[in-house]
Amino acid sequence: MTARPERDDSTARALAGTVRRLQDAAARLRAEARTRSVVDLATGILSERLGVLPAEAAAHLVRLARESGVTVEALAADIVGLPTAAAGAAGEPAAEGQPAAEGEDVPAGGTDGRQVSEVAEGSSGGAPGEPAARLATLAPPVAPALAAEPDLQRAAGAVLEQLATSLGARALAVWQRLPGGGLCLAAHSGLAEAEAEAWSRVPPGVATPAQQVVGGAAELWPGDPAAAGPSIGPGSARAVLPLVEAGRRRGALEVLWPVPGPSLTPSQRRQLWALAELCTTLLGPVGQPPTPEDTDVLLEGLLSPALLLEPQLRDDQLVDFAIRRVNAQFRDPLGRPRDALEGVSFLEAYPAAGASGLFERLLRVHRTGVPLTGELLQLVLRDGPSVPATVRLAVAPLGGRLLVGWEAANGPSGENEQAALLSQAQRLARVAGFEEDADHRRIRWSDGLRQLFGLPAGAPPVPLTDLARHVHPDDEAAVRRLVDTVRHRRRASSAVFRLASPGGGYHFTRVIAEPVLDAEGRLVAVRGAYHDVSAQHRTEVALGATRARLADSEQESAERAQLALRLQQAILPAEPPRDVTGLRAAVRYRPAAKRDRVGGDWYDVLPLPDKRVLLAVGDVAGHGVGAATGMVALRHALRGLAVTGAGPARLLEWANTVALREPGQVTATAVCVLLDPAGGELRWARAGHLPPIRLGSDGAHVLPLPHGVLLGALEEARYEEYRAQLSPGDVLLLYTDGLVERRDRPVEDSVDQLIRTAGAPGPDLEHYLDRLLDLSPSDTEDDTCLIAVRVE
């Protein structure tokens, strides 16, 4: 019966403890509510006095508190005019009798506008600039809540609640940069705890979107390809913004949406920038920065030259570094002592550092926090003529400062570098060396020789005397002669043979070997090199085959060119007819400068049965036998059709039909003229050709251009025909474009220049045509045909 009262007493005590805990929790909630009210009120006062938006005022309040070394709540109470205790510490009940901030007026003794302005202007940052633009569209309720929230994790929940309402976000993460370039998940909301635990640390080598942004890349928005990298919330659309403080990227804010994600407006992007700005103010320090004494000890303990640089900011932008410490190993290129450098601006001490890329690397390490180790740099530290020194540079962040050191690349590390370069060159050239004692007790191979032999790693080397077992049977004699020359005749020798491959086939290999003799002329070792010349051998074989094919092609081309030239010379008339009454004619044919460019230029002067004369010149497209055979077809077609008495236009229509029916569809230009020597009547038509020129007592005149497309271009082509009259003594000139064509000017300009330069024809037409050929401005090395006729 005595146990029941004890159980009753225990129950009562437990209930009493529960009541006290609930009362304490209620008191904490009331205190937090009063604290938030005071912070909200202080934010409103700053917003009104400074003329900025609430979000700007909240960020400004956080910066002021941090710079003043007090809590946000204490500074807010001071601005409002309440005693600090009235605000209530977070999680502690306010003292009895303290006025509640919410809903009450500021006491008369509170901070007035002048005091608020003084507190606000006491910040080194002044009124926010660019961050203010980002904060301009942030919803007012979020800013005071973040400003009063000392716990970044709880602040992340408040931010996500706001973003879920305004932008539809489903989760967010706040990343903080770690020393060495890694990231830690400083806060998150909307993520499963297992996923957050798995992503609590991100090594430097994992290229997550947040790692990219913290490393210096631009911010990412939904839809950016780089935003699809490995990260939390796989399959989500995301925006990633850097958290920047004093020019350094301290972390990143990552906001996630269900795919495909929103298309954010400029104002919504500014809202996210504002949240990133506020999250930056809540990031805590990572590790304990070294003390100045620790830094001095570290610098003096280094064997290589080193400097300690401190960032210099202007308007929250990094503009330079100050040299705070220089160790004893450092030697200034200008001979200045340590005390002349310490405290001086880095760019002031070394203005040439920007040109050599050193300053840009310092900025990158400070901004991203990723150390720079062992990078080779052509370093120039003095102005004026100087030889850049190759150094191995190392830069590491050290408690907000930079530790910079370098060493010349001509010491032991330089020797290692030379060895690495030599090894790489041997690998690329497929060269490997060997050395073996005369008794084969010790054989040394360089890297790559086992691979050339197809031996596994660790397999014993092959002595030179056993090399014949590993080559093609036909090459064994050459290898034995090599060994005999080196080992017995004591002379250097070389040989090319086919070295067997383990998988079948052979490598064409060249071996160069030489004997190593002691002071008495005895053989003590053999050394040399193997060179895989398989690629060279294949190239030589292919080159030989190509040369053979090229020789055949050249022979065939020469034969075709000779055939075309002979065909052209056989068909073109040697001289114009001289039995035509009342007409004197002269012709010239100049072949191309290069014999392999025999073309399809042709001319014809044919007396007809009705006492008229057919004059024609043409140019078949192309060169060689094909052009020459096309020229033959068109010339003979015009000759045969001209006896029908048809006019020039009709003759060209028939010639067009012939060109379309020829194999390969010949295309050509031509001009066709029918001249009556007795009356001087002239009828002509053209198919894309240059017009005739009349040379008379009144000067040179280019005849009008009748319409007509080139032969072989269109079915049912029609050609226009013109008429003119030649007076006695007038000269008619027909020609192909090889006479006047140039690459740098229109053909009409070349015609005018040639006619003016040549002058009047004179009585001797043969001499006139020679003069035209001598004065020809053409630079195309094409065939040229000329016809000149004079009416007597």
Side-chain angles (χ1 to χ4, degrees):
M1 298 298 293
T2 58
R4 179 181 298 272
E6 292 179 2
R7 288 196 296 268
D8 291 343
D9 292 343
S10 300
T11 302
R13 284 195 298 271
L15 290 174
T18 301
V19 170
R20 282 195 298 273
R21 285 195 298 273
L22 291 175
Q23 289 174 340
D24 292 341
R28 272 198 308 272
L29 292 175
R30 286 194 300 272
E32 290 177 1
R34 286 194 297 272
T35 298
R36 292 181 183 273
S37 299
V38 172
V39 172
D40 289 347
L41 186 57
T43 302
I45 293 174
L46 285 177
S47 176
E48 188 274 332
R49 297 299 185 187
L50 299 179
V52 296
L53 294 174
E56 263 186 275
H60 199 56
L61 178 63
V62 173
R63 283 197 297 270
L64 288 173
R66 185 175 54 200
E67 293 169 2
S68 303
V70 298
T71 64
V72 174
E73 296 85 353
L75 182 60
D78 184 57
I79 293 175
V80 172
L82 296 175
T84 303
E92 296 178 3
E96 290 294 334
Q98 293 294 346
E102 185 175 4
E104 296 186 2
D105 295 333
V106 179
T111 306
D112 59 13
R114 179 184 60 81
Q115 292 170 319
V116 170
S117 299
E118 290 175 355
V119 171
E121 293 170 0
S123 170
S124 60
E130 175 62 22
R134 302 195 202 124
L135 292 165
T137 58
L138 186 63
V142 178
L146 271 180
E149 182 57 73
D151 185 357
L152 181 60
Q153 179 61 37
R154 293 166 60 185
V159 171
L160 179 61
E161 181 180 354
Q162 176 65 25
L163 289 180
T165 302
S166 60
L167 299 180
R170 73 169 186 86
L172 65 81
V174 180
W175 301 96
Q176 186 167 9
R177 191 191 68 202
L178 299 172
L183 295 179
C184 72
L185 188 59
H188 63 89
S189 185
L191 298 172
E193 288 301 326
E195 184 179 16
E197 178 65 24
W199 285 93
S200 60
R201 290 291 187 274
V202 178
V206 181
T208 65
Q211 191 74 274
Q212 298 176 46
V213 170
V214 175
E219 70 275 5
L220 301 176
W221 301 104
D224 288 347
S231 186
I232 58 174
S236 301
R238 69 192 72 237
V240 186
L241 307 180
L243 305 182
V244 183
E245 181 182 26
R248 301 180 64 196
R249 298 198 174 193
R250 297 193 56 201
L253 172 65
E254 186 168 359
V255 183
L256 284 72
W257 290 271
V259 290
S263 179
L264 299 175
T265 64
S267 62
Q268 291 171 333
R269 294 191 178 194
R270 287 196 299 271
Q271 179 179 352
L272 291 177
W273 274 115
L275 289 174
E277 183 79 16
L278 290 174
C279 288
T280 304
T281 64
L282 298 177
L283 281 179
V286 179
Q288 187 68 25
T291 63
E293 294 78 9
D294 294 337
T295 303
D296 292 341
V297 172
L298 175 63
L299 276 179
E300 296 304 329
L302 296 177
L303 297 178
S304 58
L307 306 94
L308 184 66
L309 305 182
E310 184 169 338
Q312 290 185 330
L313 305 176
R314 182 179 302 144
D315 296 332
D316 287 336
Q317 298 295 323
L318 179 64
V319 296
D320 201 352
F321 294 92
I323 302 176
R324 290 305 177 198
R325 292 288 185 274
V326 177
N327 70 352
Q329 285 71 31
F330 182 81
R331 294 295 179 267
D332 178 57
L334 300 181
R336 292 170 293 188
R338 296 172 59 181
D339 55 2
L341 294 175
E342 293 180 346
V344 178
S345 161
F346 185 77
L347 287 180
E348 178 184 344
Y350 303 110
S356 63
L358 172 59
F359 189 73
E360 185 274 335
R361 287 166 172 79
L362 298 180
L363 291 178
R364 185 171 71 243
V365 173
H366 173 76
R367 181 178 66 251
T368 64
V370 179
L372 182 68
T373 57
E375 179 175 338
L376 292 178
L377 180 67
Q378 295 289 325
L379 189 59
V380 178
L381 292 179
R382 70 172 73 193
D383 289 331
S386 61
V387 178
T390 302
V391 300
R392 192 179 303 276
L393 178 67
V395 184
L398 185 64
R401 300 176 178 181
L402 291 184
L403 180 63
V404 182
W406 63 75
E407 64 178 5
N410 56 1
S413 58
E415 296 175 0
N416 294 336
E417 178 187 348
Q418 293 295 327
L421 290 176
L422 179 59
S423 175
Q424 184 173 353
Q426 291 177 345
R427 178 183 61 83
L428 293 175
R430 298 188 65 82
V431 175
F434 71 94
E435 183 174 289
E436 59 184 51
D437 296 342
D439 54 5
H440 310 310
R441 284 185 298 183
R442 184 182 181 192
I443 302 176
R444 293 173 294 281
W445 278 7
S446 67
D447 295 339
L449 200 49
R450 283 185 175 83
Q451 182 180 1
L452 183 63
F453 273 83
L455 299 175
V462 176
L464 194 63
T465 52
D466 293 344
L467 180 59
R469 302 176 184 176
H470 296 265
V471 304
H472 191 278
D474 294 343
D475 298 332
E476 291 180 3
V479 172
R480 290 193 177 96
R481 284 194 299 269
L482 166 72
V483 175
D484 179 72
T485 302
V486 175
R487 295 186 63 87
H488 301 291
R489 300 184 184 181
R490 310 290 198 268
R491 294 202 306 264
S493 182
S494 65
V496 177
F497 51 86
R498 287 162 287 183
L499 184 65
S501 300
Y506 294 90
H507 292 292
F508 281 85
T509 306
R510 178 182 179 86
V511 170
I512 303 174
E514 66 176 4
V516 180
L517 307 177
D518 60 11
E520 298 178 0
R522 291 189 298 255
L523 180 70
V524 295
V526 176
R527 61 191 176 195
Y530 287 80
H531 183 197
D532 186 353
V533 294
S534 300
Q536 178 182 348
H537 176 78
R538 288 191 294 269
T539 302
E540 290 176 352
V541 172
L543 183 58
T546 302
R547 285 173 178 167
R549 289 194 299 269
L550 182 59
D552 294 341
S553 299
E554 289 177 347
Q555 179 67 22
E556 181 181 355
S557 177
E559 292 175 354
R560 290 175 63 87
Q562 187 67 21
L563 174 63
L565 182 60
R566 290 177 179 176
L567 181 63
Q568 194 176 48
Q569 292 172 346
I571 294 174
L572 291 178
E575 59 182 21
R578 301 185 182 278
D579 56 351
V580 179
T581 305
L583 188 69
R584 179 171 296 177
V587 298
R588 287 290 184 275
Y589 170 70
R590 181 179 66 185
K594 296 181 179 180
R595 296 181 65 86
D596 60 347
R597 287 180 55 82
V598 174
D601 287 23
W602 55 274
Y603 66 90
D604 203 357
V605 181
L606 177 67
L608 299 176
D610 57 2
K611 305 302 183 182
R612 293 183 300 172
V613 178
L614 171 68
L615 306 174
V617 295
D619 185 0
V620 177
H623 298 86
V625 176
T629 54
M631 173 266 290
V632 172
L634 292 179
R635 180 172 179 274
H636 284 293
L638 280 178
R639 276 193 157 221
L641 294 170
V643 299
T644 64
R650 184 59 176 158
L651 291 177
L652 289 181
E653 291 177 4
W654 288 335
N656 180 62
T657 302
V658 173
L660 289 170
R661 301 302 182 270
E662 272 292 303
Q665 191 172 348
V666 174
T667 57
T669 64
V671 60
C672 183
V673 178
L674 287 178
L675 175 62
D676 182 5
E681 182 185 22
L682 181 70
R683 298 167 59 190
W684 79 94
R686 58 182 284 274
H689 201 84
L690 298 171
I693 299 176
R694 182 179 66 82
L695 304 165
S697 58
D698 57 348
H701 300 279
V702 178
L703 296 183
L705 287 172
H707 174 73
V709 299
L710 74 163
L711 303 176
L714 297 174
E715 292 276 3
E716 305 296 335
R718 294 292 179 266
Y719 296 90
E720 194 175 7
E721 183 178 302
Y722 282 177
R723 296 173 181 264
Q725 191 72 27
L726 291 182
S727 302
D730 288 352
V731 174
L732 184 68
L733 179 66
L734 285 74
Y735 55 94
T736 58
D737 57 4
L739 179 69
V740 292
E741 188 175 32
R742 288 187 61 86
R743 299 180 180 89
D744 59 349
R745 70 181 68 171
V747 67
E748 294 81 4
D749 296 346
S750 297
V751 172
D752 293 342
Q753 176 187 348
L754 179 60
I755 296 301
R756 287 196 308 271
T757 305
D764 190 350
L765 291 181
E766 302 282 348
H767 179 69
Y768 179 66
L769 292 186
D770 290 337
R771 188 162 73 248
L772 288 177
L773 290 174
D774 291 340
L775 297 174
S776 169
S778 174
D779 63 356
T780 58
E781 300 179 345
D782 204 355
D783 294 357
T784 302
C785 289
L786 288 171
I787 297 178
V789 296
R790 173 183 280 123
V791 178
E792 298 292 343

